[in-house]
Amino acid sequence: MQYQTTRNQKQLYSFTEMMRINVPIEGGYFVPETMPLLSDEFLNSLIPLNFLERAKKIFGLFAVDLNENQISDICETAWRQDFENGVLPESKTLNPYLENPLFVFMDNGKTGSYLDFINSFLLSIIQQLSKDDEKWYLLSNEKNANTKSLLALDFDPQKYIPLLLINSRNTNNFTLREMQYVWNENRYQKERVEENLNDSLSSNFENSEDDNLIENAEAFENEDSVLKINKDTDKLSDSNLSNKIIDFTDEFTEQNKLSVFRIKADIREFEKIAEKIFWNTELRKKINAENKFIYHMGSLNFAYYIALIIILISAYLDLIEQEQLNGSDDFTFAFPNNNLDFLYVSILLKEMGLPISTLCLTTNQNNSIVDFLQKGILKENRKFFKTNTEGLDQIYFTNLERFIFEIVNRDVEKTEQALIEATGNQNETLINILRDFKNVIKTASISNKRANKQIEDWYLRTDYLMDPYTALVLEQLSQNNKTQYDAEKIIIPVIEHPLLSSQTMAEAIFPKNKIKRKPFYQIMNLVSEESGLTAPISTNSTKATPEIIYAEINDLISKLEEFLLD
């Protein structure tokens, strides 16, 4: 297994080389030279294993230059970040009487997002592959949920520095306070864990009569400190610190203040901002000369899709183990269009051998991807809608190049030509390919109103509160006459905790007079009491806000250079 780029198939890279470069400086994106195939024997060998052990085996297919210990360390570190006592993913029906669709719950991390494990996995990789004298800037720019997920992770902010970019047009001060709160609570809990660990060590020193006390303490610190930290973290969670708003001192808040670039840019310009940074040869050479590197915590990073592949293969195996699926049965994969994440990864899973017969892609009123899949044209000069499914509020898709690369049979020249034609009036390269794909990919654009009706209906039928992304998907399936009575199974990834959209939940399940003129926290508490769900920490905030670095899109590179080289 080696890697190439979508624009150059001649130069090959190892997994380590690809991850350290992260995004090719000459343009394009990293992709595997060939995708690994999943044999029946390999899949069957994974069924008895838990998620963590499956992750090691699957990751090993993509990182053949890493040894077994490195692969194990990466997966275990990613797992320990958030999921020690959880099940990821949790695959099931909503009740025994509804055999279809099948749901893959990916929202059980610390911030209630499917991005929690993905970011944890990305961070664990670069922690393994970085060198002692290097600094790495963790770039987050794609979704506010992605930024919060990154800030909830445990890392040394002197070596791994958050590089946070937000669009001033669609990120308000309330969201900024939520980001700062996630970071503050993370740092606070880390300090508490370290205090508990130090107290435990001190107690061991005082009470032990062992002549080799120092050696034993060092062995404890080196071998068992991670487990101790996890136990202490669990104790903190048990005390409901993660469910209560902590009033941090001014001194603590000032010491842990984030820096956030707030960029004034058109939505189309902002969606291309990471490419603008990574493909700036001069900027990257300057910072690399000082042993500093940029690492994308998002979809430009191919390991992002390795994490999704791990999650979805494990979910598929769980459903086989539960006898909800037969290994030879075809199934429909239905998903919201988050930057083509699930569309691209489902194409890869089909290439690897999973029996996916149909892909159902759902978006909101920002339906540029629907137009593209029908005509091969991506018109960026179009009306933009702000909806209650923020992750789908996109016009341009950075991942489009990888998707095109796969559907033109990994042909570099055809990929380049199709990208050029995508901005014109007709895409001769893709028109026939997309016509054939119509039998495989079903698309729909769903309004907020229709999604809210699905939330209401499913809550009445199952007592389960559905997030708005899943509701969009269910509405599309309803329109396509795909129901629980279909013989072919339907699998839906649940990507967000419902209480992250408390206002939408309340509008769907409560009469208007119950929530009229109520502030967000009162509404969230009402929904929480009604549903029995606990809000993740990403919904909390205080008055503390990050330090804002204002930038126009045209002076961003110079501002970044100043920040990175300071």
Side-chain angles (χ1 to χ4, degrees), residues 214-457:
I214 302 296
E215 292 179 13
N216 289 341
E218 287 175 350
F220 169 81
E221 202 166 11
N222 291 333
E223 294 176 15
D224 298 326
S225 59
V226 172
L227 293 175
K228 177 64 179 173
I229 286 173
N230 277 317
K231 289 176 183 176
D232 287 335
T233 303
D234 291 341
K235 289 176 184 175
L236 291 173
S237 297
D238 288 342
S239 65
N240 287 324
L241 275 177
S242 59
N243 302 324
K244 295 178 181 177
I245 298 177
I246 303 171
D247 188 15
F248 305 106
T249 65
D250 292 341
E251 181 183 5
F252 179 89
T253 300
E254 191 61 33
Q255 288 174 348
N256 292 281
K257 188 177 280 288
L258 288 165
S259 293
V260 176
F261 283 83
R262 193 167 194 171
I263 299 159
K264 186 177 180 181
D266 179 89
I267 187 68
R268 300 156 191 81
E269 294 173 319
F270 189 81
E271 286 171 348
K272 299 179 182 180
I273 209 163
E275 295 171 334
K276 183 182 178 76
I277 294 168
F278 277 104
W279 294 344
N280 189 298
T281 306
E282 185 178 352
L283 175 66
R284 289 184 73 176
K285 284 183 177 178
K286 280 183 179 180
I287 65 171
N288 291 170
E290 296 193 3
N291 255 3
K292 297 176 179 179
F293 305 87
I294 305 175
Y295 185 77
H296 198 240
M297 299 293 289
S299 65
L300 304 192
N301 188 334
F302 185 76
Y304 183 98
Y305 299 101
I306 297 176
L308 265 180
I309 286 170
I310 289 169
I311 293 171
L312 293 172
I313 289 177
S314 186
Y316 171 72
L317 295 173
D318 283 341
L319 292 170
I320 290 175
E321 190 174 27
Q322 297 168 19
E323 298 183 350
Q324 299 286 354
L325 277 178
N326 186 301
S328 60
D329 289 346
D330 289 347
F331 64 90
T332 294
F333 187 47
F335 49 88
N337 176 47
N338 282 51
N339 194 27
L340 307 191
D341 289 358
F342 290 100
L343 176 61
Y344 176 62
V345 83
S346 58
I347 295 292
L348 298 183
L349 288 170
K350 279 176 65 69
E351 290 179 16
M352 294 175 75
L354 257 59
I356 304 173
S357 62
T358 308
L359 305 174
C360 288
L361 177 151
T362 314
T363 189
N364 55 29
Q365 290 146 290
N366 295 295
N367 62 353
S368 58
I369 189 57
V370 174
D371 290 347
F372 175 80
L373 291 173
Q374 291 174 351
K375 306 169 188 175
I377 303 298
L378 190 65
K379 291 189 180 294
E380 296 180 24
N381 187 20
R382 61 197 302 142
K383 187 173 182 180
F384 175 77
F385 298 92
K386 287 190 72 173
T387 72
N388 59 15
T389 44
E390 178 197 23
L392 311 186
D393 291 346
Q394 286 180 275
I395 292 175
Y396 172 76
F397 303 94
T398 53
N399 213 21
L400 188 64
E401 186 167 336
R402 280 194 178 112
F403 172 70
I404 291 174
F405 179 77
E406 295 301 329
I407 67 173
V408 298
N409 293 319
R410 308 173 68 81
D411 186 307
V412 169
E413 292 180 0
K414 284 186 178 179
T415 301
E416 182 181 9
Q417 187 59 34
L419 282 169
I420 294 170
E421 293 174 3
T423 59
N425 295 319
Q426 187 165 338
N427 200 322
E428 297 291 344
T429 306
L430 293 183
I431 193 68
N432 291 329
I433 295 171
L434 291 174
R435 188 179 296 123
D436 293 340
F437 258 85
K438 284 183 180 179
N439 296 325
V440 177
I441 303 176
K442 308 297 182 184
T443 62
S445 172
I446 305 297
S447 68
N448 287 349
K449 184 177 180 180
R450 295 304 307 165
N452 285 4
K453 187 67 169 65
Q454 283 289 335
I455 294 169
E456 180 186 1
D457 290 348

